[in-house]
Amino acid sequence: MPVRFSSLAAAVLIAASLPASAQPSQPPLPEAERTRWFREAKFGMFIHWGVYAVIGRHEWIRHQAQIPQAEYDKYARRFNPVRFNADEWVRLAKDAGARYIVITSKHHDGFSIYRSRVSDYDMEITPYKGDPLKDLAAASKRHGIRLGFYHSIMDWHHPDYRPRRAWEYPDNYKEGGDNNRYIDFMKEQLRELLTGYGDVAVIWFDGEWEHTLANAKRDDEIYDFIRSLQPNTLINDRLYERKPGNRADFGTPEQFVPATGLKSPDGKPVLWEACVTINQDSWGYNKYETVFKTERDLIRMLVEVVSKGGNLLLNVGPRPDGTIQEEFVARLNAIGRWLRVNGESIYETTASPFERMSFFGRATAKGRTLYLHVFQWPQDGRLRVAGLKNLVHRARLLADPQRPVKAVRDGSDIVLELPGEAPDEIATVIALELDGEPAAEPFFNRPDAKGVITLGVESCEIDTEFEQRAKKENALGRVFLTQWTRDRDIPYWVVETPRAGRYAVEISYSARRAGAAFTVEAGGAKLEGKAEATGGDWVFKTRSLGEVELPRGRSEVRVRIAPAAGTMNLERVVLRPIG
């Protein structure tokens, strides 16, 4: 189906007819002010919704199942969200503690989830009479929550876009078309979104990996075009090549949490936002999905992301009738309950002053207050905060302010004496009111009095990327790495030794079945092992691996699991001095 306007002039005439009331209301702001709301918000709700919801499998289903365009269009004509209620969606986000919403205006299939004046492939071909984006924009304004639009650069439907799908046009999928003409069309859709829906918080691009804009040398043009229409709208990094250092306002790691946040080429922290699904397999509605992250996973992920200076954009994929499935609602409500108690430790905070923590948990800061998020309550009631330089004037539990918490200096550390059980087993927050802004010495794993270096999973970071699976967990007094099924999820520790020396290496793990191959890397050596069955996932055994030489000073210890190796839960690596 061709786009309605083949000439840019006709599209501009339509744009000029848009009501003045739809124009943005805010004057241009300096960069620091323009991004302030994003830096303070910390938590947003992502919504993937479109024709693919009718099929109910995956937002890439047309490509995955190689559905011809004419057949896919039949699903588009059946899209009829008669139970869609914009106020309910916005209230769900707000009750969850989200401060902004980003929804797909157009995904890769090319279908626009609004009534576009420059395309015939939009809500007009459906039985639904309304414009979901207009309803959502109005509801967001009523409830005081910001709204942004995801917009795919890639377009499987537009006749000018190249490359087309190779399975659909095997002989000429790169031939023909006119990407410059397509980009003109894309600009007019962006004009609609930026002039017809009020103040737009974010334009969230995707599909940049086909290099459409970069090859046409028009990415900067799109950036400037957005700024000319709404100068305060934030633009994500997928307008360009997805790496720090471009003109974008923030980075977008997908389905993983960077080990140390994101930094610019000169090493300075940059704004970033981890986009993550609640389920495992897809972003759009998937009626076949059976695997969902737990409330515990999501709350701790939010804490981890914020502690590293980022935002969490958590996705839901509504059903084709406009309702949101119970698994999503329950988890969002749980996050909201936790934030109502602990929100001061998340909103408007800055990243942790600690690169690594000595206990299983995370930290955030706000002015002179340091917030410790404790995932594993110490069995002896003593929580050691290694390297905190400040004086502690007062310590309090956000969930139980009347319960006394005592802070005692022990050398370069602060030890907190915690009475009773954890108020919140998922994440208890302790607020430390300090004598100044939090200052900390870097934490490194060092030898104890006997020269032994104990590397517990609680003090590791996970070097990872897209589709992260491994995560830290705790149960029955242990902290361990679980769901460790991908070789690209690599736990690592930074150790500091006063002198070079030789160490015997031990590893503690559990495994239901034997066979998972792994490698411990330290001091340039690689010790290989294969997991033996320990008696179950919760039964941990220690075994010796061999010896390594560590240099004086700082070095890394990494543990890798072999591809398709099976599963094991890693608890710790212990390095014992020899001689």
Side-chain angles (χ1 to χ4, degrees):
M1 182 177 295
V3 295
R4 181 174 297 152
F5 293 103
S6 57
S7 78
L8 182 59
V12 170
L13 285 175
I14 289 293
S17 70
L18 291 172
S21 61
Q23 297 297 321
S25 61
Q26 295 181 351
L29 296 171
E31 181 179 354
E33 289 302 310
R34 177 165 51 82
T35 59
R36 178 185 295 276
W37 74 263
F38 184 86
R39 285 184 277 116
E40 295 178 348
K42 303 304 180 186
F43 182 35
M45 189 168 86
F46 215 178
I47 302 173
H48 276 67
W49 199 38
V51 172
Y52 39 83
V54 178
I55 301 173
R57 185 71 183 101
H58 199 287
E59 71 282 356
W60 279 70
I61 190 61
R62 177 162 125 68
H63 174 78
Q64 291 174 337
Q66 299 188 3
I67 301 173
Q69 185 69 62
E71 185 69 23
Y72 192 75
D73 290 348
K74 295 177 183 178
Y75 294 104
R77 293 187 176 90
R78 287 168 46 193
F79 183 60
N80 190 20
V82 293
R83 298 178 65 189
F84 166 63
N85 185 310
D87 284 291
E88 288 183 1
W89 282 20
V90 175
R91 278 195 295 267
L92 175 64
K94 195 167 184 178
D95 289 347
R99 295 286 177 88
Y100 60 104
I101 294 171
V102 178
I103 184 171
T104 49
S105 54
K106 185 195 76 169
H107 206 265
H108 309 324
D109 61 0
F111 182 85
S112 300
I113 199 77
Y114 68 101
R115 303 183 87 80
S116 173
R117 300 187 182 203
V118 298
S119 173
D120 283 332
Y121 199 54
D122 65 343
M123 292 302 293
E124 292 174 87
I125 68 171
T126 76
Y128 191 71
K129 300 303 182 184
D131 183 330
L133 294 195
K134 280 208 178 294
D135 291 345
L136 200 59
S140 297
K141 187 173 183 179
R142 280 193 295 272
H143 293 281
I145 196 165
R146 295 175 186 266
L147 178 66
F149 300 127
Y150 165 114
H151 203 75
S152 174
I153 300 169
M154 186 164 59
D155 192 313
W156 302 335
H157 174 270
H158 196 282
D160 276 320
Y161 183 84
R162 294 296 184 275
R164 296 180 288 191
R165 301 309 95 191
W167 57 265
E168 199 167 17
Y169 299 92
D171 298 326
N172 63 347
Y173 69 96
K174 292 184 179 180
E175 308 299 324
D178 185 335
N179 272 344
N180 274 307
R181 194 157 57 205
Y182 166 73
I183 294 168
D184 290 341
F185 161 77
M186 188 182 83
K187 282 181 67 175
E188 291 313 310
Q189 286 213 309
L190 290 171
R191 186 193 301 276
E192 291 178 328
L193 295 171
L194 289 161
T195 59
Y197 296 87
D199 292 323
V200 177
V202 176
I203 293 293
W204 210 105
F205 287 107
D206 199 15
E208 84 294 343
W209 57 87
E210 293 193 332
H211 310 297
T212 311
L213 301 178
N215 290 343
K217 296 182 170 30
R218 297 186 67 180
D219 39 16
D220 280 336
E221 175 190 336
I222 296 296
Y223 179 96
D224 293 334
F225 179 69
I226 294 169
R227 288 274 179 262
S228 72
L229 294 172
Q230 290 215 29
N232 299 325
T233 295
L234 303 190
I235 302 168
N236 76 332
D237 61 340
R238 301 186 189 196
L239 176 61
Y240 300 97
E241 185 179 355
R242 199 184 310 177
K243 63 181 182 180
N246 56 43
R247 296 176 73 190
D249 292 300
F250 62 95
T252 55
E254 181 174 335
Q255 297 284 45
F256 76 99
V257 180
T260 56
L262 290 188
K263 294 180 172 60
S264 64
D266 61 2
K268 295 179 180 178
V270 297
L271 287 179
W272 61 278
E273 172 191 72
C275 55
V276 176
T277 55
I278 293 175
N279 54 311
Q280 183 160 297
D281 184 53
S282 61
W283 295 84
Y285 173 59
N286 189 341
K287 61 188 174 185
Y288 304 97
E289 183 67 270
T290 59
V291 179
F292 299 87
K293 297 177 180 69
T294 65
E295 300 168 4
R296 176 192 189 88
D297 293 336
L298 295 170
I299 291 169
R300 289 182 172 182
M301 182 183 294
L302 173 62
V303 170
E304 180 180 4
V305 166
V306 175
S307 78
K308 294 177 178 179
N311 288 16
L312 177 63
L313 187 63
L314 191 61
N315 184 74
V316 300
R319 298 184 181 100
D321 66 358
T323 59
I324 296 176
Q325 66 194 81
E326 293 73 16
E327 291 89 346
F328 295 160
V329 172
R331 286 159 176 78
L332 288 168
N333 286 339
I335 296 171
R337 288 192 298 271
W338 186 87
L339 282 169
R340 281 190 283 278
V341 174
N342 301 288
E344 72 168 87
S345 72
I346 298 295
Y347 303 122
E348 302 173 9
T349 60
T350 55
S352 173
F354 305 95
E355 284 192 18
R356 289 166 291 276
M357 302 298 297
S358 55
F359 60 88
F360 185 31
R362 298 286 172 181
T364 58
K366 186 187 298 180
R368 295 187 173 195
T369 304
L370 177 68
Y371 298 97
L372 304 175
H373 301 78
V374 183
F375 300 161
Q376 170 84 347
W377 202 248
Q379 292 180 318
D380 63 0
R382 292 169 57 83
L383 183 73
R384 182 171 294 274
V385 186
L388 181 60
K389 297 180 179 181
N390 301 79
L391 295 175
V392 178
H393 292 316
R394 182 187 174 209
R396 56 189 169 92
L397 300 172
L398 295 193
D400 190 356
Q402 303 308 313
R403 193 192 301 189
V405 177
K406 185 178 180 181
V408 179
R409 169 67 61 186
D410 183 14
S412 61
D413 304 341
I414 291 290
V415 176
L416 301 177
E417 298 178 1
L418 307 175
E421 299 296 320
D424 189 326
E425 190 270 338
I426 293 177
T428 292
V429 182
I430 306 170
L432 303 183
E433 296 175 8
L434 309 176
D435 60 342
E437 291 190 359
E441 295 177 357
F443 171 74
F444 302 102
N445 293 273
R446 297 183 173 97
D448 64 15
K450 296 182 179 180
V452 177
I453 305 173
T454 301
L455 306 177
V457 160
E458 64 274 5
S459 63
C460 81
E461 290 294 347
I462 302 172
D463 188 2
T464 187
E465 54 185 34
F466 178 62
E467 293 189 337
Q468 175 181 354
R469 290 289 180 265
K471 63 172 185 174
K472 298 181 187 181
E473 186 54 279
N474 63 304
L476 302 175
R478 296 178 184 272
V479 182
F480 49 90
L481 194 69
T482 189
Q483 294 184 191
W484 194 25
T485 57
R486 299 187 342 138
D487 61 309
R488 289 174 292 176
D489 296 343
I490 305 167
Y492 73 94
W493 298 260
V494 179
V495 301
E496 186 174 70
T497 50
R499 62 188 66 83
R502 195 150 189 84
Y503 292 81
V505 179
E506 300 173 352
I507 186 168
S508 174
Y509 65 87
S510 69
R512 186 182 307 175
R513 289 181 290 274
F518 61 87
T519 304
V520 176
E521 301 176 359
K526 296 182 179 180
L527 302 180
E528 296 181 351
K530 187 169 288 189
E532 301 171 358
T534 63
D537 291 333
W538 302 92
V539 181
F540 290 83
K541 303 290 186 182
T542 299
R543 59 171 291 193
S544 298
L545 274 186
E547 299 178 2
V548 296
E549 182 86 24
L550 289 185
R552 179 180 179 274
R554 296 169 192 169
S555 59
E556 286 189 359
V557 175
R558 292 177 171 252
V559 185
R560 301 178 187 266
I561 197 166
T567 59
M568 59 184 283
N569 294 333
L570 176 67
E571 183 181 27
R572 70 172 65 94
V573 174
V574 179
L575 308 176
R576 299 189 182 278
I578 299 172

